[in-house]
Amino acid sequence: MGKTLTLFLATTPYSGENAHTALRLAEAALAKGHRVALFASGDGVHAFQVQQGAQGIPNAEAGFRELLERGLQVELCGTCLRFRGLTPELLLPGAAPSSLQRLCRLVEESDAFLTLGG
Amino acid sequence: MAKALCIVLRRPPYGGIHAAEAVRHLNGGVANGLETTLLLVSDGVYLARAAQAAASGWTSLSDVLVQVLRYRGRLPDGSENQAWVYAHGPSLAARGLGEGDLLSGVEVVDDDGAALLLAGSHATLVY
C-alpha cells in the first residue's frame, strides 16, 4: 500500500537545488504509487509563480506544473503569499493557498515528512 | 496519541526570517494539536536570549517567544498542550551564554537530550 510523503520547501527555486531535489523526490515517489504532498513556506512559495524564464537550469514552474498534472498535491502558506504580494493569478493552477492548520494536518497524515530549507 | 513535531532553529533572530518562521510554526503546532518542540542549536540559541529590544518596525522575537511559552492549546485527546523550547548547551557555551541569559521557560539540553528530542519526533522542520 502506498505511503504518504510530505515535502516542506522553504527556499527560493534558484538560490540552490532544494526545489529541484523536491521535484525529483516527488516524481520518484509518485511513480511508485505513493501519495505526495508539497507544502511551500517562506520563500519556497516563489517556486510556484507563473512565467518563470529559467533556462540552462531546471525550470521549477515547468517541473511542478507537470507533477501537479500527475497528482502532486501542492499547498502554499497563505501568510507567506501575502507577505510577498503573490495573488492567485500569479500562481500555478492547482497550487492552493493554505495555512498552518493544514500543515499540521499534513504532519499528522504523513508517513514521512522531509524539510528542504535554507 | 498526538503526533510530535520538532522545529530545529540553527539561525539567529533578525539577520533573516528563519527565527521568526520557527516561532510562528511553534505557535501553530501547539494551537493545532501537535506536541511541538523548538530545539535551538548553533546560532539559534540567540533566539532564547532575554530582553531583546528590537528596532522600530521589527517584532521583538523574545517577546513573542514569551507569549508562545505561556500559550496553552489542546491535544486531540483534550489534554492541555504547550510549547516546549530547548537550547542546546554546547551551542550556548560556545557563544559565552549560560542558562541565566535565557528567557524563563527555556530548558538547556546536552547532545544526548537533543538527539532524544529529534528521535522522538514524528516530523522535523529545520530553519
Side-chain angles (χ1 to χ4, degrees):
Chain A
M1 186 177 166
K3 300 214 173 180
T4 298
L5 166 67
T6 295
L7 304 171
F8 183 86
L9 178 64
T11 55
T12 48
Y14 306 111
S15 60
E17 294 193 22
N18 284 337
H20 186 53
T21 299
L23 274 168
R24 291 167 59 194
L25 287 172
E27 183 176 23
L30 286 169
K32 288 197 175 294
H34 299 303
R35 175 192 167 207
V36 185
L38 187 149
F39 192 97
S41 183
D43 289 330
V45 299
H46 287 299
F48 298 90
Q49 283 184 247
V50 293
Q51 298 191 358
Q52 295 179 38
Q55 294 180 353
I57 54 175
N59 184 301
E61 177 188 353
F64 284 120
R65 185 184 293 274
E66 180 183 340
L67 290 188
L68 279 161
E69 291 170 3
R70 287 165 55 180
L72 175 66
Q73 174 187 340
V74 174
E75 300 190 35
L76 311 177
C77 167
T79 300
C80 306
L81 290 171
R82 284 190 295 278
F83 260 53
R84 292 158 178 80
L86 294 178
T87 45
E89 69 276 11
L90 299 174
L91 303 172
L92 273 172
S98 187
S99 65
L100 260 177
Q101 186 178 33
R102 275 292 307 151
L103 173 63
C104 292
R105 297 293 80 78
L106 285 172
V107 167
E108 290 180 321
E109 294 166 4
S110 301
D111 296 293
F113 185 95
L114 178 65
T115 294
L116 292 159
Chain B
M1 187 173 165
K3 294 290 175 74
L5 172 66
C6 184
I7 303 167
V8 179
L9 175 64
R10 305 167 298 158
R11 311 260 183 124
Y14 313 118
I17 205 167
H18 303 84
E21 285 291 283
V23 174
R24 185 168 76 91
H25 285 80
L26 175 67
N27 192 40
V30 175
N32 285 283
L34 297 176
E35 286 188 2
T36 314
T37 299
L38 176 61
L39 174 61
L40 308 174
V41 297
S42 300
D43 289 336
V45 298
Y46 288 119
L47 173 64
R49 195 164 192 167
Q52 297 167 35
S56 173
W58 293 85
T59 300
S60 164
L61 290 179
S62 62
D63 288 352
V64 176
L65 194 55
V66 165
Q67 291 177 37
V68 176
L69 282 165
R70 289 184 188 144
Y71 178 80
R72 295 292 182 268
R74 291 283 167 190
L75 292 173
D77 64 3
S79 59
E80 193 172 76
N81 191 25
Q82 67 177 90
W84 299 99
V85 181
Y86 298 92
H88 180 235
S91 297
L92 287 168
R95 289 155 179 81
L97 297 173
E99 200 161 358
D101 296 306
L102 305 181
L103 293 166
S104 174
V106 176
E107 295 186 36
V108 178
V109 291
D110 58 15
D111 288 335
D112 288 344
L116 280 173
L117 287 170
L118 291 166
S121 298
H122 175 69
T124 306
L125 280 173
V126 181
Y127 286 100

